[in-house]
Amino acid sequence: MKLNNEQLEAVQTTEGAVLIFAGAGSGKTRVITNRIVRMIEDLHIDPKRIVALSFTNKSAKEMKERIHKMVNRKRTRGLELSTFHALGLKICKLHLEKLGYKTPFLLETPNDLEIIISDILKKYKIDPKIFPIKHILSQISFYKNSGKLKTEDKDWSLVVSKVFEDYNVIMKGLNAIDFDDLILKPIEIMEKFPEVKESYNNKFRYIMIDEFQDTNEVQYKFIKCILGNNKNLCVVGDDDQSIYGFRGSNKELILNFENDFYNTKVIHLLQNYRSTQKILNIANALIKNNLNRKEKSLFCNEEGEFIPLIIERENEKEEARYVIEQIKDLIIKEKIKGHNIAILFRTNYQSRPFEEELRLNSIPYKLIGAYNFFDRKEVKDLIAYIRLIANSKDDLSLMRILNYPKRGLGQNTQLKILEKAGEINSSAFEVLLRICENVEYIPEIKRNGASKIYELVNLIQKYNKDFYSSPKMSEVLKNLIKELEFEKEISLEEDDEKVIKARMLNLSELVNMLTYFEIDWEEDSKPTLFDFLMKLSLLTDDDKKDEKEDLRVQLMTMHLSKGLEFDTVFLTGLEEGIIPSSRSLDEIGIEEERRLMYVGITRSKNRLFLTRAAERKKFGESIPSIPSRFLEEIDSEFIMTEEKILEQSGFNFLDELEALKLS
């Protein structure tokens, strides 16, 4: 494919500050790689003078592979094509001694840092349940990058300040740095030692940054230090695809770039080579509602055959059924490979009904960036309780939940129980029953442990009765989750409220599954817990471990879809509170949520389905849903609905309904 006029202009403009607004699917990677090749091959610029930075190792690797297809590897020797942190590490290796470190130094992993923080908390007798370790590390990272504390809470401020003092002393004593230091230390080195800064200013004469809209202020400062008075900085990005504000990226950097560099050359890459114009019309109509952006519209030369379709179904289960029925047709009738089909959603908990339907229809799938729903810890824990309640001889399930939530029944207690079960040739639960009758049945288990065992046995027996006597098993399961205080236990494991909420929503999805199971039960006899477990066993039985990945339908969040493309995309759960996310509205605002949906739309090449549910279950209860405001922002002329399809086919639904009433 030839370069279009704008791409060619971007490739040929190598001197001075260059800002390339590269829209979705506009071939930005091709422009960057061709620009580098031209510098080396045509302009004979020494590769050692060129730096190209991306945000992921994957994208850096892709650019290297493309360049090496066009230029002999020997000709690119010395080219700095890496991530920000990889470049920072190289600088640290050469110059960190100037800050009093020894070579080699240690780059501590997150697990190492947690141990360090844990030891500091023990020293000051600070309760990690009140001040979680991961949250403290998050606060330290924010403080190091911004120079200010993230929290306004006085207790938290005192703890973080005190821990941070010791943290710095310990890290220096260990001759160690952390991930943030890979950017911060090079900045410090160049600010304190002008000769080092000058050496990099002289060495790197041409700097390029990909996905510039995702850059934070510290990374930008790092680049400016390396750049010095040199003006040959080319940044490539799209403010309309800035979706990582929650990680600290600053979209204003790309919007204000022209103010930072005098006489900046601005180039717009708006011709799209991925999607049809019918899909781009929707994307353009949506994103124009953002006020804080550069005005632009994507276009292409392919009008496209398929008009994007909005679909509403009664609930999330029917929504999933519709999506999977369409996928079956695409695979069987249209011969589209599974890997060319994507189901996108706002958050991971939404994957469950789609996973269930895909399994029931024997359609291979891959859940990207998250555990399979049935592999998630909280789901496994709750299923273990259900299994044990249904069958007290299930020793595997008992051992999984014996000390979860924590009851002080650790590994030694578990081993003693299993040993005794072996001695009397009985189940582990039978041993628990005997301990309830005689607290000294196993002498090594103290009275407090025996008391906790008594509580657990009572809980299992109580819910065994409740599940078989209650008219709604889903209500019983909801009560079980509440009585076990899963949310409290998960809160002790996680310090991020979003993660806690997501894990609780996974438990909610299991309640929803049981609710639908009872509703859909067609036999004369009342469904039992065993019946439900049998269904779960069928759903979680993975017989396709050796299937080729290119056969799988792709499931992922909209965030993880960025940079990818598919023949057919199903954007699902398009409802208020999901997208836009109610929590994100408070934290990052409506415009980033709109950009996220824009990213989802522009992943599609040919077919786009926008789906939603009229009501959605939460802990077994149906809650009415409101269509996402983003659907209303898309001009109706660009969208097909089921009503329009009926009208075009000559079928008038309202007339038919009236005729039925009269008859």
Side-chain angles (χ1 to χ4, degrees):
M1 183 178 73
K2 285 185 177 182
L3 295 171
N4 64 38
N5 291 337
E6 291 74 24
Q7 290 175 331
L8 187 60
E9 183 181 16
V11 167
Q12 292 179 340
T13 308
T14 54
E15 301 296 319
V18 183
L19 169 59
I20 302 173
F21 281 108
S26 62
K28 68 177 179 61
T29 303
R30 189 164 181 268
V31 166
I32 294 172
T33 53
N34 275 272
R35 195 172 189 268
I36 292 171
V37 169
R38 179 174 182 273
M39 286 179 174
I40 296 171
E41 292 286 88
D42 299 343
L43 303 180
H44 306 293
I45 295 171
D46 187 341
K48 294 177 183 176
R49 302 285 190 225
I50 303 171
V51 178
L53 298 179
S54 64
F55 279 84
T56 66
N57 290 316
K58 180 182 176 182
S59 60
K61 182 181 177 182
E62 181 187 352
M63 282 195 278
K64 280 181 183 177
E65 289 173 350
R66 289 199 190 190
I67 289 171
H68 290 151
K69 285 180 180 178
M70 294 185 278
V71 183
N72 188 291
R73 283 178 181 269
K74 291 181 180 179
R75 292 283 293 117
T76 64
R77 190 170 294 161
L79 172 66
E80 186 62 53
L81 186 53
S82 64
T83 64
F84 281 87
H85 290 89
L87 178 57
L89 180 57
K90 287 183 180 180
I91 295 173
C92 285
K93 284 179 178 178
L94 291 173
H95 303 289
L96 198 58
E97 286 181 331
K98 294 182 182 295
L99 298 181
Y101 290 83
K102 297 176 184 177
T103 302
F105 55 86
L106 297 174
L107 177 59
E108 300 287 18
T109 66
N111 287 337
D112 298 326
L113 298 180
E114 287 183 21
I115 294 170
I116 292 170
I117 299 298
S118 178
D119 290 341
I120 296 172
L121 296 184
K122 287 176 184 176
K123 173 184 174 182
Y124 293 111
K125 297 180 180 178
I126 298 172
D127 188 350
K129 293 180 181 177
I130 300 174
F131 299 96
I133 292 171
K134 288 183 179 179
H135 192 46
I136 290 175
L137 281 170
S138 173
Q139 293 277 352
I140 287 174
S141 177
F142 186 86
Y143 184 70
K144 290 178 73 172
N145 282 282
S146 67
K148 57 186 178 182
L149 291 171
K150 193 175 185 179
T151 179
E152 295 181 1
D153 183 277
K154 289 184 179 180
D155 290 339
W156 263 102
S157 297
L158 288 171
V159 168
V160 173
S161 298
K162 191 65 180 172
V163 171
F164 187 52
E165 289 178 18
D166 280 38
Y167 176 83
N168 282 336
V169 172
I170 291 171
M171 290 289 283
K172 195 67 181 286
L174 292 170
N175 194 45
I177 62 174
D178 59 28
F179 199 66
D180 291 322
D181 289 329
L182 292 177
I183 304 296
L184 293 167
K185 293 300 182 187
I187 292 173
E188 185 181 352
I189 291 166
M190 285 186 277
E191 286 181 340
K192 289 183 176 180
F193 302 94
E195 70 277 11
V196 175
K197 181 177 184 296
E198 187 178 355
S199 70
Y200 283 105
N201 295 163
N202 292 331
K203 179 181 180 181
F204 297 134
R205 305 301 297 170
Y206 298 88
I207 300 177
M208 279 172 275
I209 304 175
D210 189 19
E211 302 287 4
F212 187 66
Q213 77 278 351
D214 296 333
T215 308
N216 64 36
E217 292 180 17
V218 172
Q219 291 163 338
Y220 192 34
K221 185 177 182 181
F222 173 55
I223 291 301
K224 283 186 171 181
C225 282
I226 293 174
L227 192 66
N229 294 323
N230 176 24
K231 301 301 180 186
N232 296 330
L233 175 62
C234 174
V235 299
V236 184
D238 181 10
D239 54 307
D240 288 336
Q241 295 186 78
S242 178
I243 58 173
Y244 297 116
F246 65 96
R247 291 182 187 169
S249 66
N250 186 354
K251 176 178 60 67
E252 298 303 312
L253 294 177
I254 192 170
L255 293 178
N256 295 325
F257 186 81
E258 294 171 73
N259 298 329
D260 281 2
F261 291 87
Y262 175 73
N263 207 23
T264 296
K265 177 74 172 179
V266 181
I267 300 170
H268 290 85
L269 304 182
L270 301 179
Q271 184 168 354
N272 180 284
Y273 294 95
R274 175 190 300 149
S275 308
T276 65
Q277 190 61 49
K278 286 183 168 64
I279 291 170
L280 296 182
N281 288 340
I282 286 185
N284 292 331
L286 175 70
I287 202 64
K288 73 179 182 182
N289 290 280
N290 273 4
L291 301 177
N292 187 24
R293 64 183 288 263
K294 291 289 186 180
E295 183 64 35
K296 51 192 174 299
S297 293
L298 297 178
F299 68 94
C300 71
N301 294 326
E302 182 67 38
E303 183 63 26
E305 180 182 353
F306 306 101
I307 301 174
L309 180 62
I310 289 183
I311 294 294
E312 178 184 311
R313 286 296 179 263
E314 181 182 349
N315 50 50
E316 68 269 40
K317 185 171 185 178
E318 292 302 318
E319 178 190 26
R321 281 180 175 169
Y322 171 82
V323 169
I324 276 48
E325 282 300 317
Q326 296 303 312
I327 289 174
K328 282 172 66 177
D329 284 347
L330 289 169
I331 292 173
I332 296 170
K333 297 178 182 178
E334 304 295 330
K335 307 299 181 186
I336 295 176
K337 298 291 186 183
H339 75 282
N340 273 325
I341 302 171
I343 301 174
L344 306 183
F345 30 79
R346 177 63 177 83
T347 52
N348 276 316
Y349 81 86
Q350 293 171 251
S351 72
R352 195 273 307 161
F354 299 103
E355 289 187 67
E356 182 178 349
E357 287 298 321
L358 285 163
R359 286 173 182 268
L360 288 173
N361 285 277
S362 300
I363 299 175
Y365 70 91
K366 183 177 183 181
L367 183 62
I368 308 294
Y371 291 109
N372 178 294
F373 179 81
F374 297 101
D375 288 337
R376 292 160 183 161
K377 182 183 181 299
E378 59 276 8
V379 175
K380 281 186 171 182
D381 291 333
L382 184 53
I383 289 176
Y385 269 101
I386 297 171
R387 288 167 61 100
L388 183 62
I389 289 167
N391 177 15
S392 63
K393 293 182 180 180
D394 189 341
D395 285 355
L396 286 175
S397 293
L398 174 57
M399 289 301 107
R400 181 176 182 89
I401 58 88
L402 184 65
N403 198 38
Y404 189 87
K406 289 183 175 60
R407 301 183 174 91
L409 304 174
Q411 285 187 331
N412 289 335
T413 301
Q414 293 174 27
L415 287 172
K416 293 296 179 185
I417 291 170
L418 289 172
E419 286 174 5
K420 183 60 73 173
E423 288 176 17
I424 64 173
N425 193 28
S426 184
S427 69
F429 194 82
E430 177 62 29
V431 174
L432 300 192
L433 290 172
R434 296 193 184 191
I435 292 172
C436 292
E437 295 170 357
N438 176 12
V439 294
E440 296 180 358
Y441 183 66
I442 299 178
E444 292 88 348
I445 298 178
K446 305 302 179 186
R447 283 186 173 271
N448 185 54
S451 174
K452 293 295 182 182
I453 287 171
Y454 180 79
E455 291 175 9
L456 175 60
V457 168
N458 272 348
L459 181 138
I460 298 300
Q461 292 178 330
K462 170 182 178 292
Y463 278 94
N464 179 273
K465 293 177 182 177
D466 289 350
F467 271 113
Y468 285 93
S469 62
S470 173
K472 283 189 176 181
M473 290 190 291
S474 56
E475 288 296 322
V476 179
L477 183 56
K478 197 192 308 184
N479 294 336
L480 176 63
I481 294 169
K482 187 175 181 180
E483 186 166 342
L484 287 170
E485 298 185 316
F486 265 95
E487 187 164 7
K488 180 180 177 182
E489 194 67 17
I490 290 171
S491 297
L492 296 176
E493 299 169 358
E494 308 284 356
D495 61 4
D496 188 335
E497 289 185 14
K498 290 182 182 177
V499 177
I500 295 168
K501 183 180 178 182
R503 292 182 66 182
M504 287 303 296
L505 283 169
N506 288 334
L507 298 182
S508 165
E509 286 299 303
L510 208 54
V511 176
N512 294 343
M513 283 187 73
L514 184 50
T515 303
Y516 280 122
F517 172 76
E518 292 179 285
I519 292 171
D520 295 340
W521 186 255
E522 295 179 351
E523 297 184 26
D524 294 333
S525 59
K526 181 180 177 291
T528 68
L529 210 52
F530 275 107
D531 295 321
F532 181 58
L533 287 169
M534 285 298 293
K535 179 179 180 180
L536 287 184
S537 297
L538 291 172
L539 288 173
T540 57
D541 184 26
D542 189 0
D543 295 323
K544 305 179 183 65
K545 296 189 188 306
D546 296 325
E547 68 193 5
K548 293 181 180 179
E549 188 168 312
D550 64 355
L551 297 179
R552 300 183 192 180
V553 172
Q554 305 289 293
L555 278 70
M556 69 191 78
T557 64
M558 295 179 196
H559 278 103
L560 289 177
S561 73
K562 189 166 179 286
L564 303 177
E565 58 182 38
F566 308 92
D567 176 86
T568 303
V569 168
F570 294 87
L571 274 185
T572 64
L574 302 182
E575 300 144 37
E576 288 290 306
I578 296 179
I579 183 162
S581 158
S582 52
R583 183 178 179 84
S584 293
L585 285 178
D586 295 331
E587 293 184 353
I588 57 177
I590 186 65
E591 293 208 347
E592 181 152 323
E593 287 291 289
R594 190 178 283 112
R595 290 194 293 271
L596 183 58
M597 181 151 163
Y598 174 83
V599 165
I601 290 171
T602 53
R603 299 311 94 196
S604 176
K605 294 180 180 179
N606 292 311
R607 297 173 179 85
L608 177 65
F609 295 81
L610 309 171
T611 72
R612 64 170 295 266
E615 60 180 39
R616 197 169 285 272
K617 279 188 165 47
K618 189 172 183 180
F619 284 103
E621 294 183 14
S622 294
I623 308 295
S625 297
I626 300 172
S628 170
R629 68 190 74 179
F630 299 150
L631 292 175
E632 297 175 3
E633 292 174 354
I634 299 170
D635 296 340
S636 59
E637 63 180 293
F638 300 138
I639 285 286
M640 182 61 71
T641 64
E642 288 179 296
E643 288 81 3
K644 282 185 180 180
I645 293 172
L646 289 173
E647 288 175 9
Q648 291 178 8
S649 65
F651 176 82
N652 189 309
F653 181 77
L654 292 176
D655 287 348
E656 290 291 325
L657 187 63
E658 191 63 31
L660 285 171
K661 286 180 182 177
L662 293 171
S663 64

